[in-house]
Each structure stands twice: as structure tokens, then as C-alpha cells.
């Protein structure tokens, strides 16, 4: 476990350095090293590019990927569904609808309020799903999934309606945000996201045993003394905090919460005390790579990271659907 984590940290650090040093403005490894170490010989122009543009972007991608991956690990444990990810709780649909309402239905709303709107929409949708699932005498994984799918469909229909009948300029602004990108990164956003994620990440690691128990099923967890409904609600809150913060910071970057936990589970096994940190590292690597590919593959034009993760995630999703028929569970 320690060796695997160390290897992933080294890979992530190498990708961060490559991402910072690679772009429209070329810089040698020596120039980059001089800037990062604060050498007196460092080029001020390169320093400005690194610290004002590339480093915040790389760190925002890292934090976003880690948050989405851990949220996906929580969703898969709570729902006991290998295809679960934060979107199944309606988080993405609620965030998208809230952003569309703010940009298209309201006038004169500043662009910097979009993250707060996205987070509010994600939280409201998750709360509505859990409240409706509780109405018939307690929650269950299947009920949450079905209600989440239904409310997500309603939110998607409302988003499409606003997209169809809204002003073109406002719709274009919303679609840029919804595509999922870290191109707008700045230090304030990076600090806010890091601050927001710190407590939920620590609580998730501390809840590893509870995630292990609930993953066995409600009856098994209850027989071992777990208060299943309370734990499920708390885990959904953590999932919403993590995924909602990531969506608020970078828009809709899909499939990271699906892919990263599966890869981590193949490496570490099902125990969440090991699964969660490795999932976070793999998720960070995925989004850093997606952003790097997106800004280089058709340079000088840029693809949002959400499009790149979608191109990776769709075949992976198909593989997960195909695998049970041909491989042992």
C-alpha cells in the first residue's frame, strides 16, 4: 500500500511538473526549476506564467479530481452499485439546472457567483432525493437510485428547456461552465476549494469502517450494530460536499467518480481505508491528464477537461457493463 501510494504520488508530481512546463510559451526544465526554487536567475516572465496561470490550473485539476474520485467511492459503497458515481445522486443535474437558472432566467448575475449557484443546486437536489427516499419508512439504496434518476431526468429536462428558449449569449456562457474546465483557475479558487475539501476528506477516511459495513448490505450492517439510515445519510452529505465543491469549482467533469474507484479497487482491494486515498490520487491524475490533453491535442484551441474525461469514461462504462458476462465477479 505504501509503495503503491508513493508511486502514484511520484507519477502525479511528474505530471504536475510536465503540465506546468508545457504550453504555448515554451520553457526549459532549467527555467522551470529556477522559478520553482526561487532562484535569483529565474526569468520574471516565466515566473508570472507559472505562478499566475499554470500552477493554479494544475492544482485546481488535482483537487477537483481527488474530490470527484472520493465522492465516487462513497457513492459506490452506499449504493452497493459498481456503476454508481456522484451523478446518480442528482448532484450534477441539480448543479446544471441551478447554473442555467442563474445565467439564463436571471439578469445581471455576476459570473463569479456561478460556483455558489452550482453548489446550492447540487446540495438541494441531494437533499430532495434523500427526503423523498425517506418518506416510505427509511432509505434504501434502490430507492435512492430510482428517485435520483427520476429527479435528474426532471432537472435535465428543465435545463434543456432553458437552453432552448434562453438568450444565445447567456446559454453560451452556461455551456462553457457546464462543459467542465479548469482554464479559469486562480489562487483564490484553489485556496477556497482546498479549504472546503479538507474536513470532508478527513471525515471520509475516518468513516472507512462504516463504508465497509454498509457495503455488505443493510441487514449485515444492522447485525453488526450500524445505524444504517443515519450512516447512509451522513455518507450522502459527505458525497455531496465533495462532489458539489468540485462541480462548483470546475463545472461538470464526468466519469472520474466512476473510473478512479474501480482502478483503485483493483490495486488495493475493497477496504476503504486503503481505497479512499488511492482513489483520490488516481482521480487527481485523471483530471490533470485530461486538462493537459485538452489544452495540447488541438492547440492553440482547448478542449474542456470534461470532454476528455467523457471520451475516456464512455468506453470504460461500456467495459463495466460487458465485464460481468465474461469475467468472474
Amino acid at each position: 500500500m505504501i509503495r503503491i501510494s508513493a508511486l502514484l504520488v511520484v507519477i502525479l508530481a511528474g505530471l504536475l511538473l510536465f503540465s506546468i512546463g508545457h504550453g504555448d510559451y515554451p520553457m526549459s526544465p532549467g527555467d522551470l526549476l529556477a522559478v520553482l526554487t526561487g532562484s535569483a536567475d529565474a526569468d520574471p516572465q516565466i515566473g508570472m506564467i507559472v505562478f499566475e496561470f499554470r500552477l493554479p490550473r494544475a492544482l485546481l485539476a488535482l483537487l477537483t479530481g481527488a474530490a470527484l474520485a472520493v465522492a465516487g467511492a462513497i457513492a459506490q459503497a452506499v449504493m452497493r452499485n459498481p456503476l454508481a458515481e456522484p451523478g446518480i445522486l442528482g448532484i450534477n443535474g441539480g448543479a446544471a439546472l441551478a447554473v442555467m437558472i442563474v445565467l439564463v432566467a436571471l439578469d445581471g448575475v455576476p459570473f463569479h457567483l456561478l460556483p455558489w449557484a452550482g453548489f446550492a443546486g447540487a446540495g438541494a437536489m441531494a437533499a430532495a432525493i434523500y427526503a423523498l427516499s425517506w418518506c416510505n419508512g427509511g432509505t434504501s439504496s434502490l430507492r435512492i437510485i430510482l428517485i435520483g434518476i427520476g429527479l435528474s431526468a426532471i432537472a435535465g429536462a428543465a435545463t434543456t428547456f432553458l437552453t432552448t428558449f434562453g438568450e444565445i449569449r447567456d446559454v453560451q456562457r452556461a455551456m462553457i461552465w457546464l462543459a467542465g474546465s479548469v482554464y479559469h483557475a486562480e489562487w483564490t479558487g484553489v485556496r477556497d476549494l482546498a479549504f472546503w475539501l479538507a474536513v470532508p476528506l478527513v471525515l471520509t477516511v475516518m468513516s472507512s469502517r462504516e463504508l465497509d459495513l454498509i457495503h455488505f448490505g443493510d441487514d449485515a450492517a444492522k447485525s453488526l450494530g450500524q445505524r444504517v439510515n443515519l450512516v447512509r445519510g451522513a455518507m450522502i452529505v459527505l458525497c455531496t460536499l465533495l462532489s458539489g465543491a468540485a462541480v462548483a469549482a470546475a463545472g461538470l467533469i464526468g466519469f472520474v467518480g466512476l473510473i478512479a474507484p474501480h482502478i483503485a479497487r483493483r490495486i488495493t482491494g475493497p477496504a476503504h481505508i486503503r481505497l479512499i486515498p488511492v482513489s483520490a490520487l488516481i482521480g487527481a491524475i485523471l483530471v490533470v491528464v485530461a486538462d493537459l490533453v485538452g489544452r495540447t491535442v488541438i492547440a492553440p484551441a482547448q478542449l474542456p477537461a470534461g470532454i476528455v474525461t467523457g471520451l475516456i469514461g464512455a468506453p470504460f462504462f461500456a467495459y463495466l457493463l460487458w465485464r460481468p458476462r465474461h469475467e468472474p465477479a
Side-chain angles (χ1 to χ4, degrees):
M1 170 62 186
I2 296 177
R3 291 180 181 178
I4 293 171
S5 299
L7 177 61
L8 291 173
V9 169
V10 171
I11 293 173
L12 180 58
L15 286 170
L16 287 174
L17 290 175
F18 184 79
S19 177
I20 295 169
H22 189 73
D24 294 336
Y25 188 93
M27 61 182 69
S28 68
D31 292 335
L32 179 60
L33 181 62
V35 168
L36 293 178
T37 57
S39 172
D41 298 329
D43 187 333
Q45 185 174 3
I46 293 178
M48 182 192 69
I49 293 173
V50 168
F51 289 110
E52 296 298 324
F53 299 103
R54 295 185 185 175
L55 184 56
R57 180 169 181 163
L59 292 178
L60 185 63
L62 182 155
L63 292 172
T64 300
L68 292 173
V70 174
I74 295 172
Q76 290 173 15
V78 171
M79 302 302 164
R80 298 192 299 278
N81 187 330
L83 302 181
E85 54 109 17
I88 204 171
L89 300 179
I91 293 173
N92 291 352
L97 178 58
V99 169
M100 290 300 296
I101 290 174
V102 167
L103 281 180
V104 178
L106 303 178
D107 293 329
V109 177
F111 195 80
H112 69 269
L113 293 181
L114 284 191
W116 293 104
F119 186 81
M125 182 63 80
I129 291 170
Y130 194 78
L132 290 173
S133 70
W134 189 278
C135 291
N136 293 324
T139 62
S140 72
S141 299
L142 180 60
R143 189 178 297 141
I144 291 174
I145 290 173
L146 293 176
I147 293 174
I149 291 173
L151 291 185
S152 294
I154 294 173
T159 301
T160 302
F161 177 84
L162 292 172
T163 302
T164 303
F165 295 100
E167 293 290 336
I168 294 178
R169 178 177 58 85
D170 295 334
V171 170
Q172 286 177 337
R173 291 177 65 199
M175 295 308 293
I176 291 172
W177 185 87
L178 293 176
S181 177
V182 293
Y183 77 96
H184 59 283
E186 56 183 21
W187 282 112
T188 300
V190 172
R191 285 193 297 266
D192 290 346
L193 182 59
F195 177 78
W196 185 266
L197 294 179
V199 173
L201 286 174
V202 171
L203 290 177
T204 302
V205 174
M206 294 174 60
S207 304
S208 296
R209 182 178 180 275
E210 302 299 331
L211 289 171
D212 289 340
L213 291 179
I214 202 170
H215 189 63
F216 290 143
D218 289 5
D219 293 337
K222 288 177 181 177
S223 69
L224 294 171
Q226 185 181 76
R227 300 172 65 182
V228 174
N229 289 328
L230 179 62
V231 170
R232 183 179 287 117
M235 293 301 102
I236 290 176
V237 169
L238 289 178
C239 181
T240 303
L241 290 174
L242 292 168
S243 184
V247 169
L252 302 181
I253 300 179
F255 289 106
V256 176
L258 174 69
I259 298 173
H262 276 280
I263 297 175
R265 199 171 289 112
R266 286 294 185 96
I267 297 173
T268 69
H272 285 83
I273 191 65
R274 297 189 299 270
L275 176 65
I276 290 170
V278 174
S279 293
L281 290 171
I282 293 174
I285 289 171
L286 284 173
V287 179
V288 170
V289 170
D291 179 56
L292 180 61
V293 170
R295 63 186 176 88
T296 57
V297 68
I298 56 172
Q302 298 189 22
L303 285 175
I307 293 178
V308 179
T309 59
L311 293 175
I312 299 171
F316 190 86
F317 186 81
Y319 163 71
L320 291 178
L321 292 175
W322 172 84
R323 185 187 61 178
R325 297 183 181 180
H326 302 274
E327 296 182 10

